[in-house]
């Protein structure tokens, strides 16, 4: 449907995750402007959470017979939805091809074993995120240190920072969902020494590479060494997301590895030490040519069963992806867009420090595994950080879950 065409009966239901259009004026304006031009009404249902409860409620909405125009879905959940036949192929219409051409291909998420685009982000879905190491420059300066570029630099920082009563790094392993981030930090760089990290992940899911292979064991060893070397603050295995922030603000740790989503909270915090916040690319493992930050986002997916609103949804996405519209959302939300040109509207200097990292960033490997594998990795990596497991036993435990999935036909590649 072309802009300006009236369609008084095109009522669309949105199932949301990420940013809530009902409470963010910069987002709501996109919907309202399009509605005024096209004579549609929006029923925007925001389902907060993004986890299992969101998944349950969103699935119920699109299987209930309602005409759901699109879902704003966490990228981590896309493959599970594709496995269950819930998401459409987005590349089948000319209008959607125009939209996908505007979004760099690194943000096109497919299902397992296919090349069909199933989901992608825009500024209107809350933008995109990547990962880096937040550091208190005042503390590093006091210790005579530069921001770490390698894991060797992290280990070398233990003694100088210990003299100041701090550890180099704290991680929120007490919130188990953040433990897969440690895997997605180190494993891509290890796998990339001999090939493509995404293909390595696919090979593991297919069972061609085991979860106790040398690459995986090295990844587990690297994470375990963060604790045994003193890089990781003692007690990180029990620290939740909020506690991690306080430990940085209190100067108990000079750095934390996390996503750009954390920046507003750290900037709003109340430090009790000299505090000069900055961010750097994730430190590299030995032999890695470059860091591999992750690309995390909530994106747009269309229900597999096309409703009466499908044509108007295609038109809306074409409108929302126009450069001037996308950039206006970035300006209003101050969150990153997958369309690089839009990010000139990012104003905060620390937020700007993340921008170069998007060039090396890739799909998080934990978005590729089955949910059961991710859950097992979260638990096992927490045990590594706590010092209660060894790398070999962790690899064996994850491989056992993978084999059970294959035996039961629930693997992505049975």
């Amino acid at each position: 449907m072309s802009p300006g065409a009236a369609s008084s009966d095109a009522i669309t239901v949105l199932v949301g995750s990420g940013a809530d259009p009902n409470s963010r004026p910069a987002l709501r304006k996109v919907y309202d402007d399009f509605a005024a031009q096209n004579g549609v009404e929006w029923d925007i249902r925001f389902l907060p959470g993004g986890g299992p409860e969101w998944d349950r409620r969103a699935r119920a909405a699109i299987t209930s017979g309602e005409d759901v125009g699109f879902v704003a879905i966490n990228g981590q959940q896309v493959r599970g939805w594709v496995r269950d036949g819930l998401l459409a192929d987005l590349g089948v219409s000319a209008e959607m091809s125009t939209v996908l051409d505007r979004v760099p291909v690194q943000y096109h998420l497919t299902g397992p074993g296919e090349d069909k685009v199933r989901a992608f982000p825009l500024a209107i879905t809350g933008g995109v995120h990547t990962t880096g190491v937040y550091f208190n420059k005042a503390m590093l300066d006091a210790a005579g240190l530069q921001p770490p570029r390698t894991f060797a630099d992290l280990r070398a920082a233990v003694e100088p920072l210990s003299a100041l009563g701090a550890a180099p790094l704290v991680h929120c392993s007490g919130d188990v969902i953040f433990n897969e981030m440690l895997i997605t930090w180190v494993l891509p760089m290890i796998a990339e020494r001999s090939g493509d990290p995404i293909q390595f992940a696919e090979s593991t899911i297919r069972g061609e590479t085991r979860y106790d292979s040398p690459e995986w064991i090295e990844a587990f060893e690297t994470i375990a060494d963060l604790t045994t070397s003193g890089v990781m603050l003692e007690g990180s295995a029990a620290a939740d997301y909020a506690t991690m922030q306080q430990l940085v603000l209190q100067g108990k740790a000079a750095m934390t590895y996390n996503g750009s989503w954390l920046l507003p909270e750290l900037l709003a915090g109340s430090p009790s030490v000299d505090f000069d916040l900055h961010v750097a690319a994730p430190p590299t493992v030995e032999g890695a040519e470059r860091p591999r930050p992750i690309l995390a986002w909530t994106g747009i997916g269309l229900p597999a069963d096309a409703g009466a609103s499908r044509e108007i949804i295609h038109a809306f996405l074409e409108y929302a992806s126009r450069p001037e519209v996308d950039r206006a959302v970035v300006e209003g939300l101050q969150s990153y867009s997958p369309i690089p040109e839009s990010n000139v509207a990012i104003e905060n200097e620390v937020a700007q420090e993340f921008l170069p990292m998007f060039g090396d960033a890739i799909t998080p490997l934990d978005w590729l595994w089955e949910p059961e594998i991710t859950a097992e990795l979260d638990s096992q990596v927490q045990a590594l950080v706590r010092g209660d497991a060894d790398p070999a036993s962790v690899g064996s435990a994850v491989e056992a879950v993978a084999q059970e999935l294959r035996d039961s036909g629930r693997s992505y590649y049975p």
Side-chain angles (χ1 to χ4, degrees):
M1 180 174 295
S2 60
S7 179
S8 59
D9 59 347
I11 300 174
T12 303
V13 177
L14 305 180
V15 180
S17 179
D20 182 2
N22 295 306
S23 61
R24 308 296 288 273
L27 292 181
R28 187 71 209 205
K29 176 175 170 54
V30 178
Y31 290 92
D32 289 346
D33 287 354
F34 181 83
Q37 295 171 19
N38 291 274
V40 299
E41 297 179 12
W42 297 107
D43 176 9
I44 302 176
R45 301 183 186 180
F46 179 69
L47 307 181
E53 179 62 15
W54 179 92
D55 188 79
R56 182 190 67 78
R57 293 172 64 187
R59 285 171 180 259
I62 69 168
T63 57
S64 67
E66 291 186 87
D67 184 11
V68 177
F70 67 82
V71 293
I73 184 171
N74 189 301
Q76 190 173 47
Q77 296 165 325
V78 167
R79 283 195 155 199
W81 280 49
V82 173
R83 177 179 62 180
D84 297 337
L86 298 177
L87 291 181
D89 176 4
L90 299 181
V92 297
S93 76
E95 202 153 32
M96 284 304 299
S97 294
T98 298
V99 178
L100 294 175
D101 284 345
R102 293 171 176 162
V103 178
V105 70
Q106 67 186 128
Y107 294 99
H108 296 183
L109 200 58
T110 66
E114 64 175 20
D115 58 5
K116 300 175 181 177
V117 182
R118 302 290 187 166
F120 66 97
L122 286 171
I124 60 160
T125 61
V128 298
H129 292 281
T130 190
T131 46
V133 168
Y134 291 94
F135 64 94
N136 180 356
K137 186 176 184 299
M139 181 168 285
L140 293 188
D141 287 347
L145 297 169
Q146 295 295 316
R149 300 184 64 183
T150 67
F151 270 67
D153 293 340
L154 285 171
R155 292 189 292 271
V158 173
E159 186 174 343
L161 286 169
S162 177
L164 300 178
L169 191 74
V170 63
H171 189 63
C172 48
S173 285
D175 277 340
V176 293
I177 61 171
F178 286 97
N179 287 309
E180 60 213 58
M181 283 182 59
L182 296 177
I183 291 289
T184 59
W185 175 8
V186 302
L187 183 61
M189 294 184 289
I190 293 170
E192 196 165 31
R193 293 183 194 139
S194 57
D196 179 79
I198 301 296
Q199 292 307 312
F200 175 84
E202 295 284 9
S203 173
T204 310
I205 301 167
R206 292 180 185 274
E208 299 160 356
T209 301
R210 292 173 58 91
Y211 288 93
D212 53 6
S213 70
E215 296 89 349
W216 277 93
I217 295 300
E218 182 180 351
F220 297 140
E221 289 173 344
T222 302
I223 294 169
D225 182 68
L226 290 172
T227 296
T228 58
S229 67
V231 168
M232 192 84 80
L233 179 68
E234 185 176 354
S236 286
D240 61 17
Y241 186 67
T243 300
M244 170 268 292
Q245 296 172 50
Q246 290 306 309
L247 291 168
V248 173
L249 293 167
Q250 294 165 4
K252 301 298 184 183
M255 294 171 275
T256 189
Y257 166 71
N258 217 277
S260 52
W261 54 81
L262 174 62
L263 179 58
E265 293 162 285
L266 286 179
L267 290 175
S270 300
S272 55
V273 295
D274 288 342
F275 199 70
D276 183 10
L277 183 66
H278 291 274
V279 66
T284 58
V285 300
E286 184 179 356
E289 294 185 358
R290 55 181 168 173
R292 278 304 202 177
I294 67 172
L295 295 172
W297 43 265
T298 291
I300 291 162
L302 303 185
D305 294 332
S309 63
R310 182 60 51 93
E311 185 181 359
I312 195 68
I313 289 299
H314 287 174
F316 172 70
L317 296 177
E318 188 281 322
Y319 173 77
S321 65
R322 293 176 185 175
E324 67 276 13
V325 176
D326 191 76
R327 178 177 172 175
V329 175
V330 172
E331 185 173 11
L333 295 184
Q334 287 300 295
S335 58
Y336 309 101
S337 170
I339 301 173
E341 294 78 10
S342 296
N343 293 324
V344 297
I346 296 293
E347 298 169 357
N348 181 270
E349 291 183 1
V350 183
Q352 291 171 357
E353 293 175 356
F354 270 111
L355 290 173
M357 301 178 205
F358 283 97
D360 288 328
I362 60 172
T363 296
L365 300 192
D366 59 315
W367 284 13
L368 307 180
W369 305 314
E370 298 93 344
E372 295 86 351
I373 293 295
T374 298
E376 184 66 18
L377 282 168
D378 281 335
S379 175
Q380 293 292 335
V381 169
Q382 184 184 43
L384 280 177
V385 174
R386 193 167 51 236
D388 290 346
D390 63 89
S393 65
V394 169
S396 296
V398 180
E399 178 61 28
V401 173
Q403 189 57 54
E404 181 182 352
L405 289 172
R406 297 183 198 112
D407 292 342
S408 64
R410 291 182 292 120
S411 169
Y412 284 152
Y413 301 110

